[in-house]
Amino acid sequence: MDVVPFSAFERLGTLWLPRQATAPVQPEAEPDPIRMIDGRRMQCKDIPDDAFLDAVRRIPAVDGSMKPSGWRTRWNVQAELEKTLGPIPENLFLAKARRLGRRRLLGGCTECTCRGDYHIAADCPYPTCCPPRGA
């Protein structure tokens, strides 16, 4: 009679069944959050201003309209921008939005990491929201 060690069985309710031989699960490797361009880390200057602003224009606003004054969330803008430029680390995307906001090209919440509510500053119908340059 062959003796099978008890550790080769698994209890399932009142039954003891043989354990299934499974290979150890290997965790999936996380993608590298740093993107390299020409042997250096990607920087804000590697994201063209026009490409960023065009991504804001191309996606529908939160209310579903394509109004220029409509608000767009940062996740939708980043997804649209990545379609043309490839993967962009989140912190780099937010830094670019901050720079565009400081230059008064992009309106919305560009200084914090909330949902964004981005819109093109030149198309903003509210004068107190996005004052023009030099004001």
Side-chain angles (χ1 to χ4, degrees):
M1 172 175 183
D2 292 334
V3 178
V4 178
F6 191 67
S7 62
F9 293 90
E10 182 177 5
R11 185 171 186 166
L12 182 64
T14 58
L15 299 175
W16 287 89
L17 301 173
R19 288 182 190 254
Q20 299 291 327
T22 59
V25 177
Q26 298 293 332
E28 290 185 23
E30 291 283 325
D32 190 9
I34 300 171
R35 183 164 163 208
M36 303 299 282
I37 304 246
D38 297 329
R40 63 173 172 73
R41 293 176 130 185
M42 186 178 192
Q43 300 173 356
C44 284
K45 65 182 177 182
D46 297 319
I47 303 172
D49 295 347
D50 292 335
F52 196 104
L53 298 174
D54 287 342
V56 173
R57 285 185 184 101
R58 279 194 306 267
I59 61 171
V62 174
D63 63 0
S65 70
M66 292 300 287
K67 294 186 296 187
S69 61
W71 303 88
R72 280 89 173 156
T73 63
R74 70 180 174 105
W75 303 285
N76 293 343
V77 173
Q78 184 174 2
E80 184 66 27
L81 186 59
E82 287 179 344
K83 288 180 185 177
T84 57
L85 298 180
I88 299 171
E90 183 178 20
N91 60 345
L92 182 63
F93 173 81
L94 293 171
K96 183 65 175 186
R98 270 192 305 276
R99 289 176 190 259
L100 290 172
R102 288 181 190 145
R103 290 172 39 210
R104 296 186 179 169
L105 296 174
L106 184 67
C109 192
T110 59
E111 292 296 322
C112 72
T113 58
C114 71
R115 68 182 198 164
D117 289 340
Y118 300 144
H119 62 279
I120 306 299
D123 300 337
C124 186
Y126 310 108
T128 58
C129 175
C130 300
R133 287 179 141 186

